[in-house]
Amino acid sequence: MPTYNDFFGPYGGRYVPEVLQPPLAELEKAFQEALNDPEFLKEYEDFCRDFIGRPTPLLPARNASRELGGAQIYIKLEGLANTGAHKINNAAGQALLARRMGKKRIIAETGAGQHGVATAAACARLGFPCVIYMGEEDIRRQHPNVYWMEMYGAEVRPVTSGSRTLKDAVNEAFRDWTANSHDTHYLLGSALGPSPYPDMVREFQSVIGKEIKEQADFKIDAMVACVGGGSNAIGFLAPFLDNPDIRMIGVEAGGRGAGEGNNAVRMADTGRPGIIQGYKSLFLHDQDGQVLDTHSISAGLDYPGIGPQLASLGEAGRIEFTDARDQEALEALKFFARHEGVIFAMESAHAGAAAIKLAREMSPDQNLIINMSGRGDKDIFISAAALDGDNWREFLDSESRRKYVD
Ligand SMILES: *Cc1c(COP(=O)(O)O)cnc(C)c1O
């Protein structure tokens, strides 16, 4: 059974106001008990199979491998999970845990809306009332995801404080939880935040790596995943951490290139230690602890912080970090669509871009696995605007003037 960690090297911890200590302690206890209860593990497994559609395939990308002439590439298709990405693995696990704890209501934060969609779907399935906190600015930018969350029956609550984006939504969710923790579970979306969240999210996401252990009938030489907060990467990699023969690569958002505000690279020498939103890790922030602006073409990779376990494994050299720029992600999206018939989410395309470079440097008797954390249907407003310019704008324009009749 996994052991519970407060800290990962220097990072992690539980830096929260006094009032949040009891609910976090209660959650930690429930999580540990659940992980040691075969009945709960069975519930999670059944939910994964019946609702999420697990196991997701491990696709041998033979055409792409041949085209690049290097390593054999395999793609873990998390995009085939219900709701389109890996986020549902964690949302499902925590929602089942909340039910076990006797909670009556679930709240969550969301930035781009992917975690909100996964949470709302899991809540619909399990019959929980659900409130999603979302910055007003994000609500404006991510209308399709707001539409789906409401379709699942969730209430999307606009957050109007601060920059009206993800970090403000997190603050608002913590505020709600502070007042309502007796009957409410806060379903946090990535492998970060105060303990026990980094452990809990890693454990639920580890279903990805555990399946690969069953599916890969070959020697794994390298594994590549994109890193926002770090949940898909840590879930993909954690089951293999004790194998020193595997190179592990985390890919951050290189955005428009170097320079403050142009990217979301925290693991070069750009991120600095800090304690923000309840945990210690590496963040993009200034001398006064003021979080800096970030940019990425992918909405899921622009968070200014990184999960504490990944920060620690990165500094220890166990996981190598690199980045892919917006343009490289778009190229990778086209490459895998053309050669494999698979549309990567814009986030996952960053892993795809780094894998294309790495595979070329490897030999054909070596094997590389990419985690495709999500599928790219959700990104059509970004990818089509970038790759199909005028035609796409013409389509949007005609849609906006279309009269709908029954
Ligand atoms: C949210 C998201 C990410 C980034 O989050 P992590 O916690 O770093 O995994 C990556 N890919 C997809 C498809 C996402 O929706």
Side-chain angles (χ1 to χ4, degrees), residues 297-315:
I297 191 169
S298 66
L301 298 186
D302 64 1
Y303 184 67
I306 181 167
Q309 190 170 8
L310 285 179
S312 170
L313 288 165
E315 285 194 343

Side-chain angles (χ1 to χ4, degrees), residues 85-87 114 190 226-232 300-301 345 347-348 373-374 378:
H86 71 289
K87 293 231 166 58
Q114 296 303 109
S190 193
C226 66
V227 181
S231 68
N232 87 86
L301 298 186
E347 293 83 1
S348 325
S373 52
K378 70 180 177 62

Side-chain angles (χ1 to χ4, degrees), residues 10-224:
Y11 301 127
R14 183 181 293 169
Y15 299 91
V16 296
E18 205 57 45
V19 285
L20 278 176
Q21 296 288 351
L24 284 166
E26 183 200 7
L27 183 59
E28 175 189 334
K29 186 162 173 288
F31 157 64
Q32 277 183 314
E33 285 172 3
L35 275 193
N36 288 291
D37 179 355
E39 209 167 300
F40 179 79
L41 297 178
K42 173 83 168 50
E43 255 176 34
Y44 181 61
E45 202 182 303
D46 290 350
F47 197 92
C48 281
R49 182 195 58 228
D50 300 339
F51 182 69
I52 301 180
R54 305 205 69 91
T56 59
L58 182 65
L59 174 77
R62 298 216 172 84
N63 306 326
S65 308
R66 200 178 311 116
E67 185 71 21
L68 296 172
Q72 304 307 312
I73 297 173
Y74 294 79
I75 307 172
K76 181 61 170 166
L77 295 177
E78 283 303 292
L80 293 194
N82 191 4
T83 69
H86 71 289
K87 293 231 166 58
I88 189 72
N89 303 328
N90 168 53
Q94 287 196 47
L96 288 168
L97 184 63
R99 185 172 73 177
R100 180 185 160 99
M101 293 172 78
K103 302 295 180 187
K104 299 289 175 238
R105 171 178 177 263
I106 284 180
I107 60 171
E109 84 295 345
T110 199
Q114 296 303 109
H115 173 56
V117 167
T119 301
C123 287
R125 176 76 195 141
L126 292 172
F128 277 111
C130 173
V131 171
I132 306 289
Y133 288 96
M134 188 169 184
E136 218 172 34
E137 183 60 20
D138 289 331
I139 288 180
R140 189 184 59 73
R141 289 188 293 206
Q142 307 290 342
H143 185 71
N145 280 337
V146 175
Y147 172 77
W148 291 125
M149 283 183 258
E150 290 177 344
M151 172 81 78
Y152 287 128
E155 177 194 341
V156 180
R157 252 181 227 174
V159 174
T160 56
S161 52
S163 55
R164 293 170 290 132
T165 59
L166 178 59
K167 71 174 166 37
D168 313 292
V170 173
N171 291 340
E172 215 48 55
F174 271 119
R175 203 162 295 151
D176 181 320
W177 203 38
T178 302
N180 299 302
S181 62
H182 57 283
D183 72 347
T184 297
H185 174 65
Y186 175 16
L187 206 163
L188 206 144
S190 193
L192 42 76
S195 72
Y197 284 107
D199 281 87
M200 195 162 61
V201 176
R202 180 200 60 238
E203 284 310 307
F204 289 131
Q205 290 294 0
S206 290
V207 66
I208 304 171
K210 286 176 192 159
E211 283 177 4
I212 293 172
K213 277 203 157 165
E214 301 284 314
Q215 295 167 318
D217 54 359
F218 50 84
K219 181 174 73 65
I220 305 170
D221 296 288
M223 300 176 79
V224 186

